[in-house]
Amino acid sequence: MSLYQLSKLLYQLNRDDSLQARFKVDPAGATEGYDLTAEERRAVLDSDIGLLYVLGVNGQILMHFAALCGVEWSDYLQRMRDGVKRHGPVRAGIYTMTTSPDEKVVE
Amino acid sequence: MSLVFAGVCSHAPGITGRDERAPTDLRDGLYAAFGDMQQRLHAARPDALIVVAAEHFANFFMDNMPAYAMGMAETYCGPIEDLDWLRISRRVVRGAPDLSRRLVTEILETVDIAYAEEWRFDHGIMVPLHFLDPDNALRIIPANINCQGPPLTPLSRAWAFGEALRRAADAVPERIALVCTGGISHWPATPDSGRINEVWDREFLARWTRNDRAGLLGYTDAETYAEAGQGGFEIRTFIAAAAAARGTGTVHYYQPIPIFAVGCTVATMEIV
């Protein structure tokens, strides 16, 4: 479990134009230097918003990574619900879900 | 001179980024309230506006997280977010470094605040500035309370920070305005985004408008998390405003707007 490293990678991707540019052409290379588990690295490289959410990435970091990946707002919310359905409850952090995966608070 | 204006407002990115998806009457009412607050703020003729925000990992991260921070830069830039996502144009904001330095120096007498000569504004500051300073005319001093990465500063310290802000504002010759920005109950950026506890919000705002120190400091983080979500931790900014202004507050606008993910709030407080 290296949620800190995963969060730091996404935090830096969100704010660093040069890292964003590298991530677009060489995503695997951009994640080098971060001590991630295979599951965490795969979640980033696959832009798997649902898995990243379940792994415990803070929503304030994750929503910007989703925007960076071109994921629209309602789709972002749905991908998190789908992630919980597929991978189970959020494993860490303070951004756990309080509703059921089939419930939509807003469309 | 002294503190010449004190207010609080919401800063949710949906307010600008998803504006067309809100019911028109609610959105227009909120925008009108922001416009009214803009006029009150500028009528106070501030030399600088301190914006106390609860930023979302634009500058501060868990590698070195300050409980309190204040900007001390010549200029600031924002928003840091994708421009299409937030729909606010990027701007360079003028700071007031010498004034910042004097404020920080005074605040340090009672609160161990960090200072930062670099600071990029996220929606937490840019959404308020979009409405309150559309012409980019004011000198801005950003401040931050960590409401994102626990352990968080106790509410009693947020009150002490507000008191220190007031003491510092009163100690300088400039006219200082203060806007503290955060959500009340909300579950932002989660699948529960849009959930709003209106009863909890209205009780909190009642305590805030009475400037009920004991009531405002009476919440525990566990209660807030259960009743008001992780976004509820941002009440720290409202508490700092009450401690700084010392008067009673007036809520000019409060409506839950789920697509904006928060009970949208615009309020001012009498300075006594």
Side-chain angles (χ1 to χ4, degrees):
Chain A
M1 189 67 176
S2 42
L3 178 58
Y4 173 80
Q5 291 285 322
L6 175 63
S7 302
K8 187 166 185 180
L9 166 60
L10 298 180
Y11 158 73
Q12 293 190 327
L13 259 177
N14 287 342
R15 66 195 306 284
D16 182 343
D17 292 343
S18 62
L19 188 60
Q20 283 179 17
R22 185 173 179 203
F23 186 72
K24 278 179 183 158
V25 297
D26 177 19
T31 69
E32 282 172 12
Y34 296 88
D35 186 12
L36 306 178
T37 65
E39 184 182 42
E40 290 164 341
R41 195 173 303 278
R42 193 183 71 237
V44 173
L45 296 179
D46 292 350
S47 305
D48 189 339
I49 302 300
L51 181 54
L52 291 168
Y53 176 62
V54 168
L55 288 170
V57 174
N58 185 300
Q60 299 291 348
I61 292 172
L62 185 58
M63 75 173 171
H64 295 304
F65 180 66
L68 184 67
C69 297
V71 176
E72 183 274 333
W73 181 250
S74 294
D75 187 21
Y76 163 67
L77 300 181
Q78 189 57 46
R79 287 184 190 212
M80 287 189 288
R81 293 186 197 105
D82 292 345
V84 170
K85 259 188 184 175
R86 187 166 171 200
H87 303 288
V90 173
R91 299 176 199 169
I94 59 169
Y95 275 69
T96 55
M97 189 161 75
T98 62
T99 53
S100 86
D102 294 320
E103 186 178 343
K104 279 190 184 179
V105 181
V106 295
E107 285 301 318
Chain B
M1 169 35 193
S2 66
L3 192 63
V4 297
F5 178 88
V8 296
C9 67
S10 307
H11 65 230
I15 292 173
T16 53
R18 299 187 290 277
D19 65 314
E20 81 288 355
R21 294 176 62 179
T24 309
D25 57 331
L26 292 181
R27 182 198 62 195
D28 291 350
L30 173 62
Y31 283 13
F34 267 123
D36 180 60
M37 189 181 192
Q38 176 210 345
Q39 293 194 358
R40 291 169 192 267
L41 168 64
H42 288 263
R45 295 179 290 107
D47 295 309
L49 166 63
I50 300 172
V51 182
V52 176
E55 75 142 36
H56 320 78
F57 306 110
N59 302 276
F60 307 116
F61 187 67
M62 279 73 79
D63 57 347
N64 191 4
M65 178 65 82
Y68 299 93
M70 181 171 268
M72 218 161 66
E74 287 276 355
T75 59
Y76 305 94
C77 186
I80 191 171
E81 288 96 342
D82 182 275
L83 301 181
D84 294 331
W85 183 83
L86 191 60
R87 298 185 194 159
I88 293 177
S89 302
R90 196 151 286 151
R91 62 164 86 165
V92 175
V93 174
R94 290 183 306 156
D98 178 69
L99 174 58
S100 287
R101 180 177 294 269
R102 284 178 280 128
L103 292 170
V104 168
T105 301
E106 178 58 38
I107 290 169
L108 279 168
E109 291 289 333
T110 51
V111 176
D112 295 322
I113 190 172
Y115 64 82
E117 295 196 37
E118 289 183 46
W119 195 307
R120 295 164 74 186
F121 292 173
D122 73 7
H123 65 269
I125 290 180
M126 288 310 300
V127 169
L129 290 185
H130 172 76
F131 291 103
L132 301 178
D133 190 23
D135 297 329
N136 201 15
L138 297 176
R139 291 188 181 274
I140 305 298
I141 298 176
N144 195 68
I145 303 176
N146 170 28
C147 301
Q148 284 298 334
L152 305 178
T153 186
L155 301 186
S156 59
R157 296 301 293 161
W159 184 274
F161 177 56
E163 288 182 325
L165 276 172
R166 174 61 182 273
R167 198 182 63 247
D170 287 352
V172 296
E174 289 90 346
R175 299 170 65 86
I176 306 294
L178 177 67
V179 170
C180 298
T181 159
I184 319 179
S185 72
H186 62 311
W187 287 255
T190 74
D192 308 326
S193 177
R195 181 180 170 196
I196 294 160
N197 187 341
E198 182 174 350
V199 172
W200 197 91
D201 284 358
R202 290 194 182 278
E203 171 59 27
F204 177 82
L205 286 173
R207 297 181 194 191
W208 187 83
T209 52
R210 290 197 305 270
N211 209 326
D212 174 2
R213 179 180 184 277
L216 288 170
L217 304 188
Y219 298 98
T220 67
D221 276 350
E223 290 164 357
T224 299
Y225 186 64
E227 300 285 324
Q230 61 287 106
F233 295 148
E234 294 179 351
I235 59 173
R236 285 165 172 76
T237 66
F238 283 47
I239 288 171
R246 302 178 190 152
T248 54
T250 303
V251 176
H252 303 284
Y253 187 91
Y254 172 84
Q255 284 294 330
I257 305 181
I259 193 63
F260 293 167
V262 74
C264 294
T265 309
V266 174
T268 54
M269 188 168 265
E270 181 191 14
I271 295 162
V272 296

